[in-house]
């Protein structure tokens, strides 16, 4: 009996070794080929067009940026850029499937191909660009981290907050900046990390934590919807100090440059449109003779031989995709004002997010 | 009829119809298939991750974690491997208190379900049927909502001056070491060994002579006696430290985070409802004749339970209870929802901060596997010790 078992074991080991060796080589070659096909230029744009719907990774708990309203509709600054991409790709801003993701899930969702683009107030950092398999594109919102406290707490700066408990979303740059900022001034604190904004909010309301740190735009969003039973927005104060740079923008998977170009130029088109003064209202009936704008809008122009032609930068999109984008969501300024601008509950001034001519950081390369 | 050995040899079927050969072949094929599949998946994952520039080694464990953990000395500059260990420690803190808690509570409720007292048995039934049918995450969220109702730290409750209770942390009195504490703890350890020796001696003597063993009395008196004498001789080696609130900080005593208490209570109560059902079933599985025999010996109802029914029910209950212990440990990962820094929370934080997910998740699985195997080992050992020995 024992002998037979021994024999069996030996045979098994041999088979396993043989299979193992063979398999390893085989898989490496086949998957390399597969992988190559997947990330080849042009792959995702064609795939999205064939699918007929854009999978957009978003936030669903930050008012003004990515939020589900009481009717179950997604709305916000980031959501509008999802719509803009869909408008550019399909000519229809409604063809978006929103995938709400937590901060911790977002990169995995992008890596695994569950989403085509991630627009979820994600900060561009070197580590994320380098080791998350993601490519960061044009920044849509220049943000910075801040601290929100109760107005009656008496805290006016970080140094006042010794031994406090600070609520923070886990898996965010915010979490890392928090440690850096408090350590820099030698202020002791206890972190309380949540992976979900709603539970964090509950904890903050109950007084379990003294401060809530996040990007200032997010804090403004949260503050604007603070329940009246707790004193409303006035009960909260966002401290003056901004203690980090948080450039937020869309991300795509590494390796597909055509898709990256598409997403990038949709964002840039909204910025360029504002610079040109093209709005949701006038984009359909531009009748000027500025060829730069005519090219931008994909209108017919005359080439050097006097023949009518339309300008195609070769992005793989329709020549008049800008018209689709702007008539769906408007230019950058309109998107900003509608979601987070001074007339919204968030009330954020343009600041760094103004056009370069107005002292901001928005600067679209020439569309030619 | 006598069989001819030679005929037996020749009538063996050819190997492709020999059942024994086929069976062996099927097993070899199955193992080879499993190995093939595993290698294929591994190769696929590795290649695809590398093609998008995600590292596939474990080197990230040496990099700095960058974040801080509540109620620990962990520094952000320490490596990722250390912060995962902090998470393991926090998971262990839940298991070490939770398992005894849920056992005691589960047994009490299980016995109560069979109580002839209508109110007691109905109360126990309601408890079991409610908690057993709610997902554990909901139990945790509900408990969390209750704990959040506790006063803020600024107006923390201090019952009798012995506790500091807020929705941030709960502090209890604890032992503070003074001078000579080391010696005292060593003396206590030695005394404990002595007490166990006395226990064994009394038991053997009672078994041999039949006189009452009084082992609790003997070893207990010995332990307390030595402890008191040593305490007096060493001149207050240890003292009780009361927690006190100074600003936002609690000094002295022993501090537990409110979200630790939440998870501990919620999961202990939840798992206890399952244990209670196992205990009830096991008690009912003890042969009816045993109860009748106990009655015939004129044992009281407590004696009947303590000496006849529970020892036999315990043998039946232990294997399924192991499963509940394992469930408890696995469910602690739900603490993620309310931000208690046990190992799942920590590993997800690590992933979120730019470290590769596949390797981190493999580590996480290894941690839970280790926890489960260790618990199984311990309880299986106990199980073997208490099973009937059949000669």
């Amino acid at each position: 009996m024992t002998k037979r078992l021994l024999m069996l074991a030996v045979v098994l080991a041999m088979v396993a070794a043989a299979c193992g060796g063979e398999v390893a080589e085989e898989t490496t070659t086949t998957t390399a080929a597969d992988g190559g096909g997947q990330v080849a230029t042009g792959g995702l744009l064609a795939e999205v067009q064939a699918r007929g719907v854009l999978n957009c990774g978003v936030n669903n708990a930050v008012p003004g940026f990515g939020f589900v309203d009481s009717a179950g509709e997604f709305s916000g600054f980031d959501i509008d850029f999802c719509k803009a991409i869909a408008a550019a790709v399909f000519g229809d801003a409604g063809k978006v499937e929103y995938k709400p993701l937590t901060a911790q899930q977002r990169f995995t969702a992008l890596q695994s191909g569950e989403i085509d683009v991630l627009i979820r107030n994600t900060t561009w950092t070197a580590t994320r660009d380098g080791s998350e398999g993601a490519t960061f594109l044009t920044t849509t919102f220049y943000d910075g981290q801040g601290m929100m406290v109760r107005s009656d707490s008496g805290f006016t700066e970080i140094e006042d907050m010794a031994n406090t408990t600070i609520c923070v979303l886990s898996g965010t740059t915010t979490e890392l900046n928090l440690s850096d900022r408090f350590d820099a001034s030698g202020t002791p604190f206890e972190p309380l990390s949540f992976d979900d904004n709603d539970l964090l909010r509950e904890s903050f309301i109950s007084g379990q934590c003294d401060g809530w740190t996040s990007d200032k735009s997010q804090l403004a969003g949260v503050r604007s919807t603070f329940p009246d039973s707790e004193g409303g927005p006035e009960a909260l104060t966002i401290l003056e100090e901004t203690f980090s740079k948080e450039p937020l923008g869309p991300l795509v998977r590494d390796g597909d440059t055509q898709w990256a170009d598409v997403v990038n130029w949709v964002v840039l088109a909204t910025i360029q449109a504002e610079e040109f003064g093209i709005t949701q209202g006038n984009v359909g009936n531009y009748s000027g003779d500025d060829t730069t704008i005519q090219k931008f809008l994909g209108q017919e122009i005359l080439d050097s031989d006097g023949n009518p032609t339309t300008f195609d930068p070769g992005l793989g999109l329709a020549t008049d995709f800008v018209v689709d984008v702007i008539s769906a969501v408007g230019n950058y300024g309109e998107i900003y004002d509608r979601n987070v601008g001074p007339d919204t509950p968030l009330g954020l001034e343009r600041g760094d997010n103004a056009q370069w001519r107005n002292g901001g950081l928005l600067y679209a390369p020439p569309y030619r | 009829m006598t069989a001819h050995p030679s005929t037996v040899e020749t009538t063996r079927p050819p190997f492709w119809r020999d059942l024994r050969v086929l069976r062996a072949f099927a097993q070899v094929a199955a193992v080879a298939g499993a190995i093939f599949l595993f290698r294929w998946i591994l190769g696929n994952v590795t290649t695809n991750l590398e093609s998008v520039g995600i590292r596939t080694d474990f080197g990230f464990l040496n990099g700095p974690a960058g974040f801080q953990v509540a109620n620990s000395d962990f520094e952000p500059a320490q490596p990722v491997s250390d912060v995962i260990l902090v998470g393991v420690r926090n998971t262990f803190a839940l298991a070490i208190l939770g398992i005894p808690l849920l056992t005691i509570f589960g047994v009490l409720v299980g016995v109560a379900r069979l109580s002839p007292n209508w109110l007691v048995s109905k109360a126990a039934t309601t408890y079991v049927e409610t908690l057993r049918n709610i997902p554990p995450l909901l139990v945790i969220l509900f408990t969390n909502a209750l704990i959040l109702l506790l006063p803020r730290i600024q107006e923390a409750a201090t019952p009798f001056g012995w506790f500091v209770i807020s929705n941030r942390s709960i502090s209890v009195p604890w032992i503070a070491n003074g001078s000579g504490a080391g010696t005292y703890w060593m003396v206590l350890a030695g005394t404990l060994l002595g007490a166990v020796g006395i226990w064994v001696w009394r038991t053997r003597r009672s078994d041999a002579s039949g006189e009452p063993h009084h082992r609790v009395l003997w070893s207990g008196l010995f332990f307390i006696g030595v402890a008191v004498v040593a305490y007096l001789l060493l001149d207050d080696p240890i003292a009780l430290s009361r927690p006190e609130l100074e600003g936002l900080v609690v000094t002295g005593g022993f501090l537990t985070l409110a979200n630790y208490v939440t998870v501990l209570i919620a999961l202990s109560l939840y798992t206890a409802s399952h244990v209670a059902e196992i205990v009830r079933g096991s008690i009912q599985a003890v042969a009816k004749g045993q109860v009748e025999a106990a009655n015939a010996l004129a044992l009281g109802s407590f004696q009947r339970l303590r000496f006849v029914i529970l020892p036999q029910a315990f043998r039946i209950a232990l294997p399924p209870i192991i499963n509940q212990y394992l469930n408890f440990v696995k469910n602690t990962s739900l603490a993620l929802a309310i931000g208690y820094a046990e190992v799942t929370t920590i590993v997800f934080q690590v992933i979120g901060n730019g470290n590769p997910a596949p390797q981190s998740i493999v580590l996480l699985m290894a941690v839970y596997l280790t926890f489960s195997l260790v618990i199984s080992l311990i309880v299986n050992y106990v199980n073997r010790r208490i099973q009937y020995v059949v000669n």
Side-chain angles (χ1 to χ4, degrees):
Chain A
M1 187 65 198
T2 336
K3 211 187 253 173
R4 215 162 350 122
L5 276 179
L6 209 69
M7 277 289 287
L8 187 67
V10 170
V11 172
L12 264 179
M14 281 164 62
V15 171
C19 282
E22 248 171 69
V23 173
E25 280 162 41
E26 253 174 59
T27 36
T28 331
T29 45
T30 48
T31 48
D34 285 354
Q38 232 175 36
V39 298
T41 310
L44 194 50
L45 178 60
E47 197 185 312
V48 172
Q49 278 167 339
R51 194 194 304 136
V53 63
L54 175 78
N55 291 328
C56 203
V58 298
N59 204 329
N60 61 356
V62 176
F65 283 85
F67 192 67
V68 184
D69 62 22
S70 50
E73 295 288 327
F74 281 86
S75 67
F77 184 83
D78 287 348
I79 305 296
D80 278 351
F81 282 101
C82 290
K83 288 181 181 164
I85 297 166
V89 174
F90 307 115
D92 178 355
K95 290 186 172 171
V96 188
E97 174 116 31
Y98 300 104
K99 309 261 184 185
L101 298 166
T102 68
Q104 292 169 345
Q105 295 165 338
R106 56 187 164 177
F107 296 112
T108 321
L110 187 69
Q111 291 154 7
S112 67
E114 190 186 334
I115 53 174
D116 304 317
V117 57
L118 177 69
I119 314 183
R120 192 200 169 283
N121 32 53
T122 303
T123 305
W124 185 355
T125 71
T127 308
R128 287 176 170 177
D129 217 345
S131 54
E132 293 285 14
T135 301
F136 283 80
L137 303 172
T138 304
T139 299
T140 53
F141 196 96
Y142 291 93
D143 211 340
Q145 186 173 343
M147 176 74 70
M148 184 164 69
V149 297
R150 284 181 179 270
S151 306
D152 58 14
S153 65
F155 299 129
T156 55
E157 54 180 7
I158 301 296
E159 281 69 19
D160 293 341
M161 302 188 73
N163 301 314
T164 51
T165 297
I166 311 293
C167 277
V168 61
L169 269 192
S170 66
T172 57
T173 46
T174 319
E175 188 180 27
L176 306 179
N177 297 331
L178 173 68
S179 288
D180 290 350
R181 177 62 186 87
F182 275 76
D183 286 355
S185 64
T187 313
F189 78 104
E190 292 273 298
L192 186 52
S193 317
F194 289 87
D195 77 330
D196 177 287
N197 250 337
D198 293 326
L199 281 161
L200 190 155
R201 185 164 168 272
E202 239 181 81
S203 164
F204 182 74
I205 290 177
S206 79
Q208 200 174 33
C209 42
D210 306 291
W212 181 343
T213 186
S214 187
D215 297 347
K216 278 189 159 176
S217 63
Q218 286 197 42
L219 293 178
V222 171
R223 183 174 175 272
S224 70
T225 57
F226 204 62
D228 287 333
S229 58
E230 294 292 325
E234 297 308 310
L236 301 179
T237 303
I238 298 173
L239 300 187
E240 193 82 35
E241 183 181 347
T242 301
F243 49 88
S244 72
K245 292 188 287 186
E246 307 284 336
L248 313 177
L251 297 75
V252 295
R253 219 166 17 261
D254 268 347
D256 191 333
T257 47
Q258 187 186 18
W259 179 244
D261 288 344
V262 165
V263 175
N264 221 2
W265 277 97
V266 170
V267 175
L268 294 171
T270 63
I271 296 173
Q272 185 64 62
E274 186 184 23
E275 193 180 331
F276 281 151
I278 297 166
T279 63
Q280 203 165 8
N282 68 19
V283 66
N285 46 26
Y286 177 77
S287 54
D289 52 4
D290 185 338
T291 47
T292 331
I293 297 183
Q294 285 177 321
K295 276 183 182 176
F296 182 59
L297 297 177
Q299 292 182 351
E300 271 192 357
I301 47 172
L302 299 177
D303 65 10
S304 48
D305 301 332
N307 300 321
T309 176
T310 49
F311 176 69
D312 182 4
L315 293 169
L317 296 170
T319 49
D320 63 345
F321 81 93
V322 175
V323 178
D324 291 328
V325 169
I326 305 302
S327 40
V329 296
N331 66 34
Y332 183 91
E334 291 174 289
I335 297 174
Y336 190 98
D337 290 341
R338 183 166 61 239
N339 293 298
V340 299
D343 297 333
T344 64
L346 275 73
L348 299 174
E349 296 296 333
R350 285 292 286 270
D352 289 338
N353 296 298
Q355 289 284 339
W356 61 288
R357 285 186 193 282
N358 302 335
L361 295 169
L362 297 185
Y363 183 103
Y367 190 86
R368 60 184 316 129
Chain B
M1 282 281 270
T2 46
H4 300 278
S6 56
T7 20
V8 171
E9 281 304 313
T10 47
T11 51
R12 251 186 95 169
F15 71 89
W16 61 86
R17 287 200 286 121
D18 188 335
L19 210 54
R20 285 180 305 174
V21 174
L22 287 179
R23 275 187 193 138
F25 180 76
Q27 289 182 27
V28 172
V31 172
I35 292 173
F36 178 89
L37 194 69
F38 179 73
R39 295 292 293 259
W40 182 70
I41 292 172
L42 191 70
N44 233 327
V45 168
T46 315
T47 317
N48 283 336
L49 285 180
E50 274 166 1
S51 77
V52 288
I54 299 173
R55 58 194 297 178
T56 51
D57 61 342
F58 281 87
F60 69 95
L61 288 175
N62 300 321
F67 58 90
Q68 215 160 310
V69 182
N71 201 17
S72 82
D73 302 329
F74 185 79
E75 297 285 335
Q78 283 176 258
V80 169
S81 52
D82 283 10
V83 80
I84 293 179
L85 284 181
V86 173
V88 171
R89 189 200 69 188
N90 284 346
T91 299
F92 181 76
L94 280 173
I96 197 74
L97 258 188
I99 288 177
L101 253 174
L102 73 92
T103 311
I104 294 168
F105 200 60
V107 170
L108 285 179
V109 175
V111 172
R113 276 205 76 179
L114 295 171
S115 163
N117 182 318
W118 186 86
L119 187 64
V120 169
S121 86
K122 286 299 169 225
T125 307
T126 312
Y127 165 78
V128 168
E129 291 305 334
T130 313
L131 272 172
R132 205 161 62 112
N133 294 308
I134 297 178
L137 180 60
L138 264 184
V139 181
I140 291 178
L141 292 181
F142 181 75
T143 316
N144 185 49
L146 292 182
I147 294 272
L148 288 184
L149 291 178
L150 290 173
R152 296 174 185 195
I153 187 108
Q154 289 84 351
E155 54 258 4
T158 51
F160 320 114
W162 286 98
F163 303 89
V164 176
I165 298 175
S166 73
N167 62 8
R168 191 169 300 178
S169 62
I170 292 164
S171 293
V172 295
W174 200 246
I175 298 158
N177 290 332
S179 62
T183 326
Y184 189 64
W185 287 117
M186 257 148 54
V187 170
L188 281 195
T191 316
L192 191 66
L193 276 178
V196 170
I198 292 176
W199 181 288
V200 172
W201 166 62
R202 289 304 303 170
T203 312
R204 291 213 178 123
R205 202 180 147 89
S206 162
D207 287 349
S209 65
E211 70 181 77
H213 49 62
H214 293 309
R215 53 191 181 191
V216 178
L217 189 73
W218 279 72
S219 44
L221 273 183
F222 172 72
F223 185 81
I224 292 168
V226 178
V228 168
V229 171
Y231 183 83
L232 294 175
L233 284 180
L234 284 168
D235 195 20
D236 301 348
I238 56 171
L240 207 53
S241 129
R242 290 189 197 198
E244 262 168 78
L245 185 65
E246 291 169 14
L248 295 172
V249 193
V250 181
T251 54
F254 186 77
L255 181 136
T256 56
L257 292 171
N259 48 17
Y260 168 80
V261 177
T262 304
V263 180
L264 183 70
I265 293 178
L267 281 183
S268 299
L269 290 183
Y270 170 78
T271 317
S273 70
H274 291 261
V275 170
E277 274 301 89
I278 294 170
V279 169
R280 179 190 59 82
S282 307
I283 290 176
Q284 286 177 331
V286 174
K288 206 175 161 211
Q290 297 285 327
V291 180
E292 287 163 356
N295 286 339
L297 288 172
L299 295 183
S301 63
F302 175 74
Q303 287 175 316
R304 192 175 63 210
L305 202 62
R306 164 72 184 80
F307 296 110
V308 179
I309 299 171
L310 280 187
Q312 299 186 64
F314 188 53
R315 289 191 175 117
I316 305 169
L318 200 56
I321 283 182
I322 300 175
N323 280 330
Q324 296 308 325
Y325 290 169
L326 301 185
N327 279 342
F328 177 86
V329 173
K330 287 183 281 186
N331 283 340
T332 56
S333 59
L334 295 170
L336 175 72
I338 60 162
Y340 176 65
E342 48 69 61
V343 67
T344 306
T345 310
I346 296 269
V347 167
F348 277 56
Q349 258 171 291
V350 165
I351 294 173
N353 287 322
N355 296 297
Q359 294 96 303
S360 307
I361 297 285
V362 166
L363 270 184
L364 185 59
M365 291 196 290
V367 166
Y368 281 108
L369 192 65
T370 311
F371 264 110
S372 295
L373 288 179
V374 168
I375 293 173
S376 298
L377 247 138
I378 295 171
V379 188
N380 279 331
Y381 173 76
V382 175
N383 195 24
R384 265 202 309 281
R385 288 292 304 271
I386 62 161
Q387 283 306 330
Y388 286 114
V389 181
V390 181
N391 289 316

